[in-house]
Amino acid sequence: MSAATSTIAPAAFLSRSSSLLASAAAVRLRSSRRYFRVLPIRASSPSEPPFEVCVKASVTVPNRLGDCPFSQRVLLTLEEKRLSYDVKLVDLGNKPEWFLQISPEGKVPLIKLDEKWIADSDIITKSLEEKYPVPSLETPPEKASAGSKIFSTFIGLLKSKDPNDGTEQALLDELTLFNEYLKDNGPFVNGDSISAADLSLGPKLYHMEISVGHYKNWSVPESLTYVRNYMKSIFSMDSFVKTRALPADVIAGWRPKVIC
């Protein structure tokens, strides 16, 4: 140990430690404000067993989440509500018998809630909101449709074989409308707080960015700054990073739409 280290006075050490702690606290505070949300306390009782959730498995890497945006929506809802869950990865190309017994139509996502298997991301997320209302993710009805047509128009562009058929302009129109909405109401659909609408739209925009960029060499114009900032904020959330699909899976998942 050097002489300089061994002769630091206790008061000086405490002063320096306090300064470091204050700086760390300030960084954490700035980080939480950047996303306009505070991570909520886990809403379910510690004694409750984790939810069983069936989702699509990756087709590119073993034991990884697949590319279903509706499955990610459900996982995001569980994450943001701090509800524990166990993921059951399902190979949709070779559906196991146990899965078909609980989901005769062979669709994901699927969740076991109150001893019943429930399908459809709309129904699942609404059921979770009703059963676990804190923290609330409810989107006011008058705001819930913001950006809702982007998904169908991006699929139209992805499937298009004619560059002059208007599908690119249709997507640009919807993104422009959403940009104006965020300019007046953002940074998220429900203002400063994340809501169910964001957890539904975010995965779809993620798929749009990757698939249209890959197959059409197209991206959201830089002029749509509010949409681009929205996507950046959503995609960088801890819950989103944890539940997102690999880009290779997104590309593989949309390939049939492009080549059909």
Side-chain angles (χ1 to χ4, degrees), residues 57-229:
S58 168
V59 298
T60 64
V61 178
N63 303 316
R64 287 290 300 264
L65 293 171
D67 63 297
C68 175
F70 306 103
S71 292
Q72 188 184 14
R73 176 190 182 186
V74 170
L75 297 182
L76 281 170
T77 301
L78 291 166
E79 286 284 337
E80 291 298 314
K81 285 187 171 292
R82 289 298 184 263
L83 299 170
S84 59
Y85 59 92
D86 288 333
V87 166
K88 295 182 180 296
L89 299 174
V90 180
D91 180 356
L92 296 184
N94 183 26
K95 299 168 186 174
E97 184 60 31
W98 66 263
F99 174 65
L100 292 174
Q101 289 179 1
I102 61 176
S103 178
E105 295 183 356
K107 295 181 178 180
V108 292
L110 200 68
I111 190 171
K112 194 173 187 180
L113 185 62
D114 294 331
E115 300 304 315
K116 295 180 181 179
W117 286 101
I118 301 175
D120 190 294
S121 62
D122 282 337
I123 297 174
I124 293 172
T125 53
K126 288 178 182 177
S127 298
L128 290 172
E129 185 65 36
E130 291 173 359
K131 188 174 177 65
Y132 301 97
V134 179
S136 175
L137 293 174
E138 188 172 3
T139 308
E142 66 274 14
K143 297 182 177 181
S145 63
S148 62
K149 295 182 180 180
I150 294 174
F151 189 55
S152 60
T153 53
F154 114 66
I155 294 175
L157 174 59
L158 203 59
K159 296 171 66 175
S160 173
K161 301 295 189 293
D162 180 1
N164 299 312
D165 63 2
T167 54
E168 180 179 348
Q169 186 60 48
L171 176 56
L172 183 58
D173 289 346
E174 291 301 326
L175 288 169
T176 300
L177 286 173
F178 188 50
N179 192 74
E180 291 302 310
Y181 175 87
L182 291 174
K183 179 180 179 181
D184 296 334
N185 301 278
F188 300 111
V189 170
N190 192 30
D192 287 345
S193 59
I194 290 288
S195 70
D198 303 300
L199 305 187
S200 175
L201 183 58
K204 296 170 184 175
L205 292 174
Y206 179 71
H207 278 240
M208 178 195 73
E209 180 179 67
I210 294 172
S211 60
V212 178
H214 178 80
Y215 289 110
K216 300 293 182 178
N217 194 30
W218 192 92
S219 61
V220 176
E222 292 186 5
S223 59
L224 301 182
T225 54
Y226 292 93
V227 172
R228 290 173 67 92
N229 289 338

Side-chain angles (χ1 to χ4, degrees), residues 32-47:
S32 66
R33 285 176 176 170
R34 180 176 59 183
Y35 301 114
F36 304 95
R37 67 193 182 103
V38 177
L39 294 179
I41 297 173
R42 186 175 182 272
S44 60
S45 167
S47 63

Side-chain angles (χ1 to χ4, degrees), residues 5-23:
T5 303
S6 61
T7 57
I8 292 177
F13 177 80
L14 289 175
S15 176
R16 184 176 303 175
S17 299
S18 299
S19 177
L20 290 172
L21 288 171
S23 297

